Amino acid sequence: MISPILLCGGSGTRLWPLSRKSYPKQFSPLLGETTLFQASAQRLAGDGYGAPLVLTNSDFRFIVTEQLAQVGIDPGAILIEPEGRNTAPAILAAALYLQKTDPEALMLVAPSDHVVPDAAAFRAAVAAGEAAAREGQLVTFGIKPTHAETGYGYLELQGDAGDFSPRAIGLKRFVEKPDAETAEQMLAADNYLWNAGIFLFSVQTIVDAFRTHAPELMDPVQASVDQGQPDLGFLRLDPQAWGGADDISIDYAVMERADNLTVVPFAAGWSDLGGWDAVWREAGPDANGVVLSPNATAIDCENSLLRSEDAGLEVVGIGLKNIIAVAMPDAVLVADVSRAQDVKLAVAALKEKQAAQATAFPKDHRPWGWFESLVVGERFQVKRIVVHPGAALSLQSHHHRSEHWIVVEGTAKVTVDGEVKLVTENQSVYIPLGAVHRMENPGKLPMVLIEVQTGSYLGEDDIIRYDDVYARS
């Protein structure tokens, strides 16, 4: 049985403004209706595959379970990383967890934000590396280059140049991200692959590799797993022990030091969507090189990506060439295609000026649903709140604000100072300042309401929780 290990904690700043720290690209439907995370989970499912083990952070844990449920996948363990420490500690934590629960498993480690159009071909490549992994090899998967990319590391093959058929062959060496001239030379040599960061190995093989090549990680990561605390079906790795682990990638910690390396070439299409230029390529430009979202219009444009992420916001381009334009309700990006990798500079600039748009997504996702601010004034705020069927907000009160709730879809079960009543569409309820209250959705469809807050302070930290089904403090 192969145990998929999905790494799901990155922020994807090069796809700002769609991808942000609070809601990164893997959870968005960048290509089609399925999110990258959902597509990754589906790709690593089926005969011979077990339930996915997911490593993520506390902010994303309920998004992970919600998105897996939407595509009918029941997750295995979900390990909560107290903080990002790069891929080596994360992969070791997964291996040590499986060592207790399924020590004979093969681990298929994959980022959750890649695009692989041909899932069957990818599973065939995995099958091609399975025997080597069972024999104690550390198997990595390399992508046949389509252009001289400088944003990826490379893998030099020991096999014949030009043969990229999926088979287990020797890996000569890892190559750091090259400059443009070196990338052109490697592309011409026809004996290099892009390093995709996808691996297959047995639990015992990778644990032994860490003991040999990165022994300093063993004690803190083992302690973080052993001392981890169950929390509503998740396992929270112990933060103190986890903080003692080095911040290091699996390549630097293990792969570049090991001698039991095997690579399986993959030539059936792949992208890590590392920038808006990659989204443009993968989306399939039309005859003029233009890619449009449903709410975008191009007039006499060439080689451009025009995208609106809001159904009520139309983007129109006239006479554009080599332009990326991405509009969100709270931010708009306009850039030359050749500067796609510099979008991270915009994020840094926004952080410097303390703009919320640098990291905060317009929709604030919570375990019970989500909300967005529609209007914000000096002493008032209007929100749209969506509550999932059967979900409930915490029992809470506020020091500085009162609230009016107007139900516009579904039915709300509302508690105010111990009094419980149902509020249906077109009905409203008033929550006085200081009142202990709760909102629930007892129905089978999402419940939507408009909340009007008034008061001297409207921050999200003005919440006193008395009871919460999601165990938030």
Side-chain angles (χ1 to χ4, degrees):
M1 183 71 71
I2 294 176
S3 292
I5 312 297
L6 288 173
L7 306 179
C8 192
S11 58
T13 56
R14 287 177 295 179
L15 287 181
W16 185 90
L18 177 64
S19 178
R20 308 189 197 182
K21 182 179 180 181
S22 66
Y23 200 74
K25 67 176 181 177
Q26 59 263 31
F27 299 124
S28 297
L30 273 160
L31 300 172
E33 297 182 359
T34 304
T35 71
L36 300 180
F37 171 67
Q38 290 171 324
S40 297
Q42 290 174 319
R43 186 165 58 249
L44 309 185
D47 293 341
Y49 291 82
L53 186 157
V54 181
L55 288 111
T56 189
N57 63 44
S58 184
D59 291 340
F60 303 154
R61 65 194 191 281
F62 293 107
I63 299 173
V64 163
T65 55
E66 178 184 337
Q67 291 206 352
L68 288 176
Q70 288 171 353
V71 293
I73 293 178
D74 186 17
I78 298 177
L79 307 187
I80 307 301
E81 299 176 82
E83 59 181 308
R85 308 299 289 172
N86 217 314
T87 54
I91 292 170
L92 179 56
L96 294 174
Y97 179 87
L98 287 176
Q99 196 172 46
K100 296 180 179 181
T101 60
D102 189 7
E104 302 300 318
L106 289 184
M107 300 171 57
L108 178 58
V109 179
S112 61
D113 56 359
H114 290 181
V115 172
V116 181
D118 193 337
F122 179 77
R123 287 191 289 267
V126 172
E130 188 171 343
R134 294 195 185 281
E135 292 169 2
Q137 292 290 298
L138 299 170
V139 179
T140 184
F141 296 84
I143 309 302
K144 178 185 177 181
T146 57
H147 56 279
E149 175 62 56
T150 60
Y152 303 145
Y154 283 69
L155 308 169
E156 184 178 1
L157 303 179
Q158 290 182 353
D160 296 333
D163 184 358
F164 298 107
S165 59
R167 70 207 191 282
I169 57 178
L171 173 59
K172 187 173 182 179
R173 66 183 177 117
F174 285 77
V175 181
E176 294 292 328
K177 295 177 181 179
D179 57 28
E181 181 180 355
T182 304
E184 290 286 358
Q185 293 171 354
M186 290 192 293
L187 183 66
D190 221 18
N191 198 38
Y192 291 84
L193 300 170
W194 289 335
N195 182 3
I198 304 172
F199 306 98
L200 179 69
F201 33 63
S202 72
V203 170
Q204 194 58 55
T205 298
I206 191 61
V207 171
D208 288 344
F210 272 101
R211 286 198 179 103
T212 301
H213 304 295
E216 68 280 0
L217 290 175
M218 290 298 302
D219 285 346
V221 177
Q222 182 74 69
S224 71
V225 174
D226 291 343
Q227 298 168 22
Q229 295 296 315
D231 178 8
L232 296 176
F234 308 102
L235 179 67
R236 290 183 176 272
L237 300 175
D238 181 76
Q240 184 172 354
W242 188 255
D246 291 341
D247 186 330
I248 187 170
S249 73
I250 186 70
D251 285 352
Y252 287 144
V254 172
M255 296 299 169
E256 295 184 6
R257 305 175 184 181
D259 57 9
N260 56 331
L261 296 172
T262 294
V263 61
V264 175
F266 184 70
W270 169 92
S271 175
D272 73 342
L273 292 187
W276 284 113
D277 53 339
V279 175
W280 171 79
R281 284 194 300 269
E282 293 297 319
D286 66 15
N288 295 316
V290 174
V291 172
L292 301 174
S293 72
N295 301 307
T297 301
I299 301 172
D300 297 330
C301 294
E302 298 177 16
N303 301 325
S304 295
L305 170 68
L306 306 181
R307 185 172 179 131
S308 170
E309 299 300 328
D310 188 321
L313 192 158
E314 289 286 332
V315 172
V316 180
I318 301 176
L320 301 179
K321 292 184 179 180
N322 305 316
I323 291 295
I324 295 165
V326 181
M328 296 283 289
D330 63 337
V332 177
L333 168 72
V334 180
D336 191 276
V337 171
S338 66
R339 302 293 300 274
Q341 295 301 309
D342 290 335
V343 171
K344 58 187 177 183
L345 300 178
V347 178
L350 291 174
K351 286 181 178 178
E352 182 69 22
K353 64 189 291 187
Q354 298 183 337
Q357 289 91 334
T359 57
F361 199 71
K363 289 183 180 178
D364 196 322
H365 290 263
R366 298 298 174 94
W368 43 260
W370 57 269
F371 70 83
E372 61 181 338
S373 295
L374 303 177
V375 182
V376 179
E378 184 176 349
R379 290 181 58 87
F380 74 93
Q381 180 172 204
V382 181
K383 290 181 177 180
R384 172 166 41 201
I385 299 176
V386 178
V387 184
H388 297 318
L393 281 68
S394 61
L395 186 67
Q396 59 185 254
S397 65
H398 310 293
H399 281 307
H400 303 287
R401 70 174 185 254
S402 59
E403 297 170 345
H404 288 83
W405 294 343
I406 304 97
V407 176
V408 294
E409 292 183 31
T411 298
K413 180 181 177 182
V414 175
T415 301
V416 181
D417 285 338
E419 180 182 351
V420 181
K421 62 180 178 179
L422 294 179
V423 182
T424 60
E425 290 184 17
N426 298 320
Q427 294 183 333
S428 63
V429 64
Y430 173 61
I431 313 297
L433 186 150
V436 177
H437 59 281
R438 166 176 272 161
M439 177 199 315
E440 304 173 57
N441 180 2
K444 296 182 178 180
L445 297 173
M447 183 266 291
V448 183
L449 62 80
I450 302 300
E451 177 181 85
V452 180
Q453 302 177 352
T454 58
S456 59
Y457 178 71
L458 307 173
E460 286 302 310
D461 54 349
D462 181 23
I463 297 178
I464 303 169
R465 287 195 175 97
Y466 304 96
D467 178 66
D468 183 39
V469 295
Y470 308 107
R472 297 168 296 171
S473 59

